[in-house]
Amino acid sequence: MMPLHLGPIVRWRFRVMLACSWILSIGFTCIGAEHTAPVTHAVPAAFSDMLPEFLVEPDDVYIVKNKPVTLTCRSKPATQIYFKCNGEWVHQDDHVIEHTIEPATGLPIMQVMIDITRQQVEKIFGLGDYWCQCVAWSTTGTQKSQKAYVRIAYLRKNFDEEPLGKEVALDQEVLLRCHPPEGVPVAEVEWQRNEELLDPKTDPNVFITADHHLIIKHARLADTGNYTCVAKNIVARRKSTSATVIVYAASGAEDMALYVGMVAVALCLTLLLIVVVLVYRRRKGSLDADVADSSILTTGFQPMGVKPTKPGVWAPHRPPRSKNSHLLTIHPDLTTTTTSYQGTLRSRHDGTGKFSMTNGPLLEPLPNGSHTLHNGKLPSDPNDFMTRLSTQNYFKTLTRDSPNTSYGTFNFLGGRLTLPNTGISLLIPPEAIPRGKIYEIYLTVQKKEDLRLPLAGGQTLLGPVVSCGPPGVMLTRSVILSMDHCSDAVPENWAVRLKKQTYEGTWEDVLVMGEELVTDPYYCQLEAETCRVFTEHLGRLALVGESLSMVAAKRLKLVLFAPAYCGTLEYSIRVYCMDDTQDVFAEVMELEKQLGGRMIDEPRVLLFKDSYHNLRLSIHDMPQSQWRSKLLASYQEIPFYHIWSGSQRSLHCTFTLERLSLSTCELTGQLCVWQVEGEGQSFSLDFNIAKDNRPLDSEFLLMDNCTPALAGPSAFQIPYLIRQKICSSLDAPCPNGADWRLLAQRLKLERHMSFFASKPSPTSVILDWWEAQHFHSGNLNQLAAVMAEIGKQEAMIFLVSDGEC
């Protein structure tokens, strides 16, 4: 406490020393601690006793997506200004300071600016609003500005209440209700009729309430249309579903007479139409009978004479033989009754459902004696036709024997589906399926060649195309889809998008990484080699990247194969240049197993940059007296776009070599693969093609012998009851931070803090991620150690026996 009897200079020095003790503790340079108070701009004597006056104070701001915001503070006379955010001083190096002089008074003016990022605001998520204020010093004392609050802006997609269509009478009042989606800042609402803005200022018959509802005071015929509620803020603009309003003419005596007349006219027209149809059908029936009698007896046949069976019966004259008379091998039976028929003419005893379709004559004999009447071209194979017809349904039921497909039946306890040796899995957390429901869920990887995934510009497929379903199934929590990717995992080099195929077969963006909101239905976490997608909506998904610079690179896996046995002079080496993902590698290994190939040397990884340069391959240093290459050029080249698109899974080049003698078995040399003006890899060739006849090598495959489908507790590392105890312990915010936020930090998940915080149980989502990442290598002792670091007694529950869980 400063004594009151001290002089003004002593009191001023005491204040400055006290302020300096605060400032020096955070690394600032303090000036003015002496009696003379040396400053950058001296204060005129007439104003030496003035307190700082703020000319500009920081205002409330919103962070949109990932763009930082700037806070500004300006004061006079001021010798120093610093910002304090959430009770802590901002470091001196983070300030941008400008000094000026007020021309009229000569007073020093200081302006200070700082930037606030989204990550800074997210760190205190759940503890309150993020605020900053500036503190200004003069030779007399200090002043504090108003607090400026920094908030992350968002606008949810779903309206709390949408308008409903209705039919109203003329002059009746119409009320259309609308509650916009939740958002920060609060969304503004406007109304549209038939996509045109409704303005109460120009149309006094409409009124928008404070609750955003639309009122039409007196319905007019012109008010008939589709009404849409539009919500917007600085982040996005959302539209509700349209509500159709129909205004009808109220019935009176004159209207009633008009309605009666209209009904009478309609009845007369209906009776007239019925009469016309009956007459037409009667005439058409007799005409069809005549046509049938002549067409079936003559089509495909020439007239021919028939000898009378009895004397005195007339027989027509036999015409001259035509050029095609040798085709007349079927004699019509004139004693049978003829009828009109379209389609296949078969014997009565032929009950099979088969049919034949060809491009031959209009009526031709079939092997079983039946006749087919053709009208247009159809496939010759009915089974093929039915197969292609069934594929018109996009999400058809997958057969059990589909390759690279896993099935499982699950309830509220959850489970896991895995495609062995592909790096693809689907984790279904507990409570993701509603209690009382049982779902059969599938997981499959699609062949890229069978899909039409549109890629524009510099876009490239970064991983497999994965389907999980059935689509439209209701989930109450996010499942986690894990799959490999082949990007260099440098976020600033890429714009990564998650695409989903719609029911119509088109592809749409459902997520752009770095711009996602916690309210989006999809969330993506990109690790060094794995992508994890959190979603409650199953379907067909693909990860697509667009390079932002020429240094962006994809990881290519280079693998060499050669025949396990060679009995001729020619010997081939196949060089595969594939995306570095497990599913493609497993597919190539299976292909080479069928071809009888064997792997030469260990696989290599090459960073293939978006430099538009091709990939070159060459073979060198072979003994010229024993081997020669049949390649005419000095190297082979794969075009850049063939590789960058990522749509060709087993892209490879073949080097055909020729040994000059069958007795030559040793092959030595160098095989080089490199991107023009980029990185390269080389393989050493040194083996005996006669002795080394091993089958396909498999040690480089990550042999995943896990069960494709696991349901219930067996699918998880953490027992169900222990999981519940951890969640109940860490979900509630703790003043010292010993809660789920510290768990996320210990597991290096700080970047996803706001996503976890948006969930009812942040801890359960973090544990889901841990289960998805550590399914093969999960160590409960490591997780227990993290819990012990947090300081929770629940770390000991990992030591309970399975029987207790």
Side-chain angles (χ1 to χ4, degrees):
M1 189 74 180
M2 183 176 65
L4 297 176
H5 63 274
L6 296 178
I9 295 179
V10 176
R11 290 199 300 271
W12 168 83
R13 183 178 182 183
F14 184 83
R15 291 193 193 101
V16 173
M17 292 178 63
L18 182 60
C20 288
S21 66
W22 296 341
I23 298 173
L24 290 174
S25 65
I26 60 171
F28 290 149
T29 302
C30 184
I31 61 176
E34 299 295 333
H35 293 286
T36 56
V39 295
T40 305
H41 299 281
V43 180
F47 302 97
S48 59
D49 59 345
M50 290 180 58
L51 286 172
E53 174 189 355
F54 285 103
L55 304 177
V56 176
E57 297 186 71
D59 292 323
D60 295 348
V61 289
Y62 298 94
I63 295 178
V64 179
K65 296 184 179 178
N66 289 324
K67 298 179 181 178
V69 295
T70 302
L71 299 180
T72 303
C73 194
R74 186 186 304 155
S75 176
K76 71 171 185 180
T79 57
Q80 294 185 101
I81 302 178
Y82 292 109
F83 271 92
K84 178 187 291 186
C85 294
N86 280 70
E88 297 182 359
W89 291 102
V90 178
H91 197 277
Q92 182 179 10
D93 295 340
D94 296 332
H95 292 72
V96 178
I97 303 175
E98 295 180 1
H99 293 278
T100 57
I101 298 293
E102 189 175 52
T105 61
L107 288 175
I109 299 177
M110 180 178 289
Q111 177 173 290
V112 176
M113 294 178 291
I114 62 171
D115 287 342
I116 305 297
T117 65
R118 180 178 183 140
Q119 289 75 15
Q120 291 175 264
V121 178
E122 288 178 340
K123 283 183 180 179
I124 65 139
F125 195 91
L127 298 178
D129 289 331
Y130 190 96
W131 59 266
C132 295
Q133 68 177 166
C134 57
V135 181
W137 279 265
S138 70
T139 56
T140 304
T142 62
Q143 285 280 67
K144 294 182 179 179
S145 72
Q146 65 183 7
K147 289 184 177 180
Y149 290 90
V150 183
R151 300 179 176 92
I152 298 176
Y154 68 92
L155 183 62
R156 297 186 186 276
K157 291 188 176 181
N158 297 326
F159 281 72
D160 292 340
E161 184 178 10
E162 295 187 293
L164 300 176
K166 56 183 64 178
E167 297 182 1
V168 296
L170 198 65
D171 289 330
Q172 182 179 340
E173 182 181 274
V174 181
L175 172 64
L176 297 177
R177 303 178 65 86
C178 176
H179 283 158
E182 177 186 344
V184 172
V186 176
E188 299 177 358
V189 173
E190 61 186 23
W191 283 84
Q192 294 180 349
R193 178 174 60 210
N194 299 331
E195 301 296 329
E196 294 184 359
L197 181 65
L198 283 176
D199 188 359
K201 295 180 181 179
T202 59
D203 187 358
N205 193 45
V206 297
F207 175 71
I208 300 177
T209 68
D211 296 332
H212 312 299
H213 306 319
L214 177 68
I215 294 179
I216 303 176
K217 300 175 183 178
H218 304 284
R220 304 159 296 188
L221 292 178
D223 293 324
T224 297
N226 296 320
Y227 287 78
T228 308
C229 180
V230 181
K232 61 180 181 179
N233 66 4
I234 59 177
V235 177
R237 174 188 174 98
R238 314 286 190 205
K239 283 188 176 183
S240 71
T241 55
S242 296
T244 302
V245 175
I246 299 176
V247 181
Y248 55 85
S251 59
E254 297 179 356
D255 295 334
M256 184 61 67
L258 177 62
Y259 292 152
V260 171
M262 293 177 62
V263 170
V265 171
L267 289 175
C268 291
L269 291 175
T270 302
L271 291 175
L272 179 61
L273 180 62
I274 292 174
V275 172
V276 170
V277 170
L278 290 176
V279 172
Y280 173 77
R281 286 185 175 180
R282 182 174 298 176
R283 296 185 61 183
K284 186 177 183 299
S286 60
L287 178 63
D288 288 345
D290 295 338
V291 171
D293 289 343
S294 61
S295 62
I296 293 184
L297 295 179
T298 61
T299 301
F301 300 96
Q302 295 292 338
M304 56 190 310
V306 180
K307 295 182 178 180
T309 55
K310 295 181 180 180
V313 178
W314 173 85
H317 173 69
R318 188 182 187 95
R321 181 180 295 272
S322 65
K323 293 182 180 180
N324 295 329
S325 60
H326 62 282
L327 298 177
L328 306 179
T329 57
I330 302 178
H331 299 274
D333 184 2
L334 301 181
T335 63
T336 59
T337 304
T338 60
T339 58
S340 176
Y341 184 80
Q342 292 181 348
T344 302
L345 305 178
R346 299 185 179 275
S347 305
R348 289 185 179 273
H349 63 270
D350 185 6
T352 63
K354 297 181 180 180
F355 55 93
S356 175
M357 301 179 182
T358 68
N359 297 324
L362 186 64
L363 184 65
E364 62 184 7
L366 297 180
N368 59 1
S370 61
H371 299 78
T372 303
L373 186 63
H374 300 283
N375 185 15
K377 297 181 179 180
L378 287 174
S380 58
D381 185 2
N383 295 327
D384 176 66
F385 173 72
M386 298 306 295
T387 300
R388 291 194 291 111
L389 183 64
S390 66
T391 59
Q392 298 302 315
N393 294 328
Y394 164 60
F395 287 113
K396 64 180 183 297
T397 302
L398 298 174
T399 57
R400 289 279 181 174
D401 56 353
S402 297
N404 293 330
T405 302
S406 295
Y407 285 85
T409 303
F410 305 96
N411 60 7
F412 76 96
L413 291 176
R416 185 189 308 265
L417 288 174
T418 303
L419 299 178
N421 301 321
T422 65
I424 301 172
S425 65
L426 181 70
L427 181 75
I428 308 167
E431 308 294 342
I433 297 177
R435 289 178 178 261
K437 300 285 187 180
I438 298 177
Y439 295 159
E440 184 179 41
I441 298 179
Y442 66 82
L443 176 68
T444 184
V445 59
Q446 306 290 334
K447 288 187 177 180
K448 300 175 186 176
E449 293 84 352
D450 298 338
L451 297 172
R452 294 182 178 178
L453 182 62
L455 298 176
Q459 290 185 342
T460 176
L461 200 57
L462 295 179
V465 180
V466 179
S467 295
C468 52
V473 69
M474 185 183 70
L475 298 173
T476 55
R477 287 190 55 202
S478 294
V479 298
I480 304 178
L481 176 64
S482 300
M483 55 185 175
D484 286 355
H485 71 86
C486 61
S487 75
D488 57 6
V490 181
E492 55 268 24
N493 292 344
W494 292 92
V496 180
R497 305 170 186 272
L498 184 68
K499 288 181 175 287
K500 182 181 181 182
Q501 194 171 22
T502 63
Y503 287 95
E504 292 78 16
T506 59
W507 289 86
E508 62 180 6
D509 293 343
V510 294
L511 174 68
V512 179
M513 290 193 62
E515 300 180 7
E516 66 270 24
L517 301 175
V518 295
T519 55
D520 289 341
Y522 295 87
Y523 191 83
C524 189
Q525 178 186 356
L526 204 66
E527 300 171 8
E529 298 180 356
T530 306
C531 170
R532 306 195 192 278
V533 179
F534 294 73
T535 183
E536 297 178 12
H537 305 275
L538 304 182
R540 182 170 294 168
L541 302 171
L543 195 69
V544 173
E546 182 175 1
S547 64
L548 302 180
S549 67
M550 296 181 68
V551 299
K554 292 178 61 175
R555 298 191 323 274
L556 295 185
K557 178 167 286 187
L558 309 175
V559 192
L560 271 61
F561 288 94
Y565 173 77
C566 179
T568 64
L569 293 176
E570 286 191 354
Y571 190 75
S572 299
I573 297 179
R574 292 178 292 276
V575 185
Y576 288 86
C577 308
M578 68 190 86
D579 291 345
D580 186 18
T581 57
Q582 295 182 53
D583 66 299
V584 181
F585 187 43
E587 184 176 313
V588 170
M589 295 290 282
E590 183 62 30
L591 174 62
E592 283 295 328
K593 182 178 180 180
Q594 298 174 6
L595 296 176
R598 57 164 173 159
M599 188 183 297
I600 303 174
D601 209 346
E602 296 184 5
R604 306 279 199 276
V605 174
L606 173 70
L607 287 179
F608 189 77
K609 294 183 178 180
D610 184 20
S611 62
Y612 300 99
H613 289 301
N614 299 339
L615 191 71
R616 287 184 179 176
L617 306 93
S618 62
I619 192 165
H620 309 276
D621 302 333
M622 290 190 305
Q624 300 295 326
S625 61
Q626 298 176 338
W627 292 89
R628 70 181 183 90
S629 173
K630 302 191 72 173
L631 184 67
L632 299 178
S634 59
Y635 58 82
Q636 297 192 65
E637 200 166 74
I638 302 178
F640 169 82
Y641 286 106
H642 288 188
I643 299 175
W644 190 256
S645 67
S647 59
Q648 301 186 41
R649 294 172 67 87
S650 55
L651 190 65
H652 69 278
C653 277
T654 300
F655 286 92
T656 302
L657 310 178
E658 186 178 26
R659 49 181 174 168
L660 303 183
S661 172
L662 286 175
S663 60
T664 301
C665 297
E666 295 293 335
L667 176 59
T668 60
Q670 287 281 112
L671 196 152
C672 300
V673 183
W674 75 100
Q675 186 178 15
V676 178
E677 299 185 10
E679 292 188 5
Q681 292 284 1
S682 64
F683 295 83
S684 296
L685 305 178
D686 188 4
F687 55 92
N688 188 306
I689 67 173
K691 294 182 180 179
D692 194 5
N693 55 358
R694 298 170 298 154
L696 175 68
D697 297 326
S698 60
E699 63 264 24
F700 298 108
L701 261 182
L702 298 177
M703 300 306 294
D704 188 356
N705 296 322
C706 63
T707 305
L710 292 173
S714 62
F716 303 96
Q717 299 277 344
I718 307 173
Y720 183 69
L721 294 182
I722 292 180
R723 176 192 178 95
Q724 288 184 316
K725 292 181 181 179
I726 296 176
C727 293
S728 62
S729 175
L730 297 183
D731 276 343
C734 187
N736 61 359
D739 50 28
W740 64 267
R741 292 168 298 176
L742 189 56
L743 176 62
Q745 291 177 4
R746 292 291 187 269
L747 296 178
K748 304 185 185 305
L749 297 173
E750 300 94 332
R751 178 180 175 274
H752 313 284
M753 202 75 78
S754 58
F755 170 69
F756 297 143
S758 67
K759 303 302 179 183
S761 174
T763 309
S764 64
V765 182
I766 296 174
L767 295 180
D768 293 342
W769 171 88
W770 188 91
E771 290 277 6
Q773 188 184 46
H774 297 88
F775 177 57
H776 295 289
S777 59
N779 188 338
L780 287 179
N781 292 331
Q782 293 178 353
L783 189 59
V786 172
M787 294 292 296
E789 290 180 12
I790 297 176
K792 293 290 184 178
Q793 295 297 325
E794 285 75 5
M796 299 302 296
I797 65 180
F798 288 101
L799 303 179
V800 300
S801 63
D802 293 339
E804 297 178 70
C805 298

